[in-house]
Amino acid sequence: MITAKDIFRSARGVVFVKLFSQVSSFLATLIIVRFISKEDFGLASMAFIVMGLIDSLIDFGFLASIIQRKEIKEGELSTCFWALVFFSLIVIVITFFSAPIIKWVFNDDRVVELIHILILTFFIIPIQILSKGILTRAYKINFISKAEFIGALFRVIGSIYLAIKGYGVWCLIYGFMLDKFIVAIVLSIQTKWYPAWHFSLDQLKPFLSFGVNITFSRIIYLFVSKIDSIIIGRVLGAEILGLYAVAIQFVNVLTQLIITTANKVLFPVFSKYQSSDKLLNIVYRSCALISFVALPSLVGLSILAEDLIYLAFGESWQESGYYLQMLAISGCFQVMSYALPQVFNSINNTRVNVRLNIISLVFYSLGLSISSVLWGIDGVLLTLIGLTILRFLLVLSLAVKIIKLDVKKYLKADIEVVVVVALMALFLNYLMVYMQGIESIYRIIILTISGVMIYISCGFILFKTKTIKLMNSILNR
């Protein structure tokens, strides 16, 4: 029986590892940018966009399918493994010969060379997926977190070492590959699972039927989340994309933390209670907890954006400060809408997410393409905020129809948090007026401490009961 303590213990493990990964990656970036150019950083971002898209395809939804099933046999696991081996080889071959398309998309042939090396990591995908599925079904998510912690540690150390040695853009590529191989090896050792020489097409069909929709939805969503970088790289160039990529790293420390936790912790829980009357209460509490943590963090990040960029990267990267301000605002609506699509997947209603992501991709592609040509990076950032808000409203309306979400209950917690965050933001902006002559580092420290104190104090004064419940959830009492 999975208890609330199990959920939050696993959540803490996932949050810690993801936070370490994001923070260490960010700190590594502070060092690496002193040894590579903005253009190199932009090229690596292009390559990782392609890898993310292919990584979603090569999974074919098998991981989610393995986790979602109520029961699974040993023969079914082996069948999934050999199917993944076959799919991986096909994807590697297709990617290798897709060089002209990749070159056309990014208008730069240098990214092709990077991708031809990166696709070597796809050979270890089958064992990694099966190991993660087995451990997640046993709710041993902390073991996965430990493996990813080790991988992130090796990635940071390796990338910094290679950057200092003058490897340029390759320090980021080799660091990424080292991370993938380390995680796969550690997970394989942990599960001690090895495939049998067994394959059954009849056993494969249920996994494919569930996985195809999951995969298609995930690929489209990844396009939605990366279409801004793709358009910026193609229309505005590698240097602007490099500045944008630096800004988005700050936001990703928070948004990816929430998204990863939702994927690894909430989806298994939603799947377990998919037929239970408790599902909606779990959804309300999960969404409230996400808003309680994410909204003040992202609004605070937007307020401190220019000081953070200046302190971390210097005056030459100062333009990224404005990008960061806008991306943090967009991130608020992004994290608020993420948990609900996980509920749709958990009740085996994957087609809804496919349609949702197709609609989003069409509007994001058109909106960002037009705005980038007409108004440059400013137009892209403003359009991104507007489209993220529209997507949030669309997800909310779908949840009302599909899981009978009570909008009043759902928004009540969010509105309470928004009120407190607004008060915090007003106070911090007022305080900044009197701190213009202070050095950036001291301004950041003072404003951060003040923001935390104001947020918690206002929460207790205005919504004491709700604040205590949410803080107890975080502390796992």
Side-chain angles (χ1 to χ4, degrees):
M1 176 69 179
I2 298 173
T3 65
K5 281 191 174 183
D6 293 326
I7 295 171
F8 289 109
R9 190 182 299 116
S10 296
R12 281 211 305 253
V14 172
V15 167
F16 171 77
V17 171
K18 192 62 182 179
L19 186 60
F20 171 82
S21 177
Q22 293 288 345
V23 171
S24 62
S25 178
F26 168 71
L27 294 176
T29 301
L30 296 183
I31 299 172
I32 291 170
V33 293
R34 286 159 174 77
F35 296 92
I36 68 173
S37 66
K38 298 173 187 175
E39 195 171 15
D40 280 342
F41 206 84
L43 283 173
S45 298
M46 292 177 186
F48 292 143
I49 289 170
V50 176
M51 288 299 294
L53 295 172
I54 301 170
D55 197 32
S56 296
L57 174 65
I58 210 169
D59 169 46
F60 272 93
F62 276 84
L63 178 58
S65 186
I66 290 169
I67 295 170
Q68 196 267 346
R69 289 175 69 86
K70 292 183 179 180
E71 295 181 359
I72 192 166
K73 299 176 182 177
E74 186 66 28
E76 291 174 323
L77 292 174
S78 295
T79 293
C80 289
F81 176 84
W82 294 115
L84 281 168
V85 170
F86 175 75
F87 293 145
S88 298
L89 293 173
I90 295 296
V91 171
I92 288 170
V93 172
I94 293 173
T95 304
F96 187 83
F97 290 103
S98 297
I101 299 174
I102 296 170
K103 178 182 176 181
W104 177 83
V105 169
F106 291 102
N107 200 26
D108 197 321
D109 57 355
R110 292 172 294 177
V111 71
V112 174
E113 184 182 355
L114 305 181
I115 292 168
H116 282 173
I117 299 299
L118 285 168
I119 59 175
L120 295 175
T121 58
F122 292 149
F123 284 109
I124 49 89
I125 288 291
I127 192 64
Q128 182 175 321
I129 289 173
L130 267 294
S131 298
K132 282 186 176 181
I134 292 168
L135 290 171
T136 304
R137 284 186 63 83
Y139 221 75
K140 296 181 179 179
I141 300 174
N142 282 330
F143 289 136
I144 301 175
S145 299
K146 290 175 184 177
E148 292 176 346
F149 174 84
I150 296 170
L153 186 62
F154 272 88
R155 178 180 185 173
V156 168
I157 295 171
S159 297
I160 293 174
Y161 174 79
L162 292 173
I164 294 171
K165 288 294 183 180
Y167 277 71
V169 68
W170 291 102
C171 70
L172 299 170
I173 303 302
Y174 292 144
F176 174 87
M177 295 176 70
L178 183 62
D179 183 358
K180 294 292 184 181
F181 283 114
I182 291 293
V183 171
I185 291 169
V186 174
L187 287 176
S188 180
I189 293 171
Q190 183 66 54
T191 56
K192 298 177 182 178
W193 179 87
Y194 303 99
W197 291 101
H198 172 84
F199 180 84
S200 169
L201 192 59
D202 289 335
Q203 289 180 331
L204 182 64
K205 287 178 181 178
F207 291 91
L208 282 177
S209 61
F210 180 85
V212 165
N213 284 327
I214 285 282
T215 302
F216 190 49
S217 175
R218 189 182 299 157
I219 291 170
I220 300 301
Y221 177 77
L222 195 55
F223 266 112
V224 171
S225 63
K226 299 296 184 183
I227 194 66
D228 51 346
S229 296
I230 294 172
I231 291 171
I232 290 170
R234 176 165 178 77
V235 177
L236 303 177
E239 185 171 334
I240 296 294
L241 179 58
L243 290 165
Y244 187 84
V246 162
I248 211 165
Q249 275 208 0
F250 279 88
V251 179
N252 282 346
V253 170
L254 298 171
T255 58
Q256 293 303 312
L257 186 66
I258 300 299
I259 289 171
T260 300
T261 304
N263 269 333
K264 295 186 177 181
V265 178
L266 296 182
F267 176 65
V269 174
F270 292 156
S271 296
K272 179 177 176 61
Y273 291 98
Q274 58 185 281
S275 303
S276 172
D277 295 335
K278 298 178 181 179
L279 179 61
L280 276 177
N281 286 330
I282 294 172
V283 171
Y284 294 139
R285 188 176 182 185
S286 300
C287 292
L289 186 59
I290 288 173
S291 297
F292 182 78
V293 174
L295 293 187
S297 303
L298 286 163
V299 171
L301 183 62
S302 180
I303 293 170
L304 298 174
E306 292 185 350
D307 282 332
L308 287 169
I309 292 293
Y310 177 79
L311 181 66
F313 299 103
E315 192 172 349
S316 62
W317 293 81
Q318 194 66 34
E319 192 176 348
S320 292
Y322 170 64
Y323 300 176
L324 177 55
Q325 288 178 332
M326 305 298 280
L327 288 170
I329 296 171
S330 174
C332 292
F333 295 95
Q334 182 185 354
V335 297
M336 286 170 63
S337 64
Y338 193 80
L340 294 176
Q342 296 299 311
V343 183
F344 304 156
N345 286 339
S346 71
I347 61 175
N348 204 10
N349 202 337
T350 54
R351 291 184 179 180
V352 173
N353 282 333
V354 173
R355 292 194 290 268
L356 168 66
N357 290 333
I358 289 174
I359 293 170
S360 299
L361 180 60
V362 170
F363 281 95
Y364 273 65
S365 300
L366 289 173
L368 295 175
S369 296
I370 294 170
S371 61
S372 66
V373 173
L374 295 179
W375 304 295
I377 189 64
D378 292 336
V380 170
L381 293 167
L382 289 170
T383 303
L384 189 62
I385 293 174
L387 290 170
T388 309
I389 294 172
L390 290 176
R391 179 183 167 86
F392 167 70
L393 295 175
L394 179 58
V395 169
L396 204 60
S397 65
L398 288 171
V400 172
K401 293 180 181 179
I402 296 168
I403 60 172
K404 308 303 179 185
L405 186 81
D406 188 327
V407 177
K408 289 184 179 179
K409 286 185 179 179
Y410 177 82
L411 291 179
K412 183 180 179 182
D414 284 342
I415 290 172
E416 292 170 353
V417 172
V418 167
V419 169
V420 178
V421 169
L423 291 173
M424 180 194 78
L426 287 171
F427 176 82
L428 293 181
N429 279 299
Y430 178 78
L431 190 60
M432 283 187 73
V433 174
Y434 298 95
M435 299 181 65
Q436 295 303 313
I438 301 176
E439 291 185 22
S440 294
I441 180 64
Y442 299 117
R443 190 158 58 231
I444 290 170
I445 293 171
I446 293 170
L447 289 173
T448 301
I449 294 172
S450 301
V452 172
M453 292 175 63
I454 290 296
Y455 181 66
I456 295 175
S457 300
C458 289
F460 272 104
I461 293 170
L462 299 176
F463 312 107
K464 182 177 180 181
T465 303
K466 177 67 69 174
T467 302
I468 292 173
K469 284 183 179 180
L470 290 171
M471 290 190 71
N472 282 341
S473 296
I474 294 171
L475 298 172
N476 195 19
R477 290 179 180 173

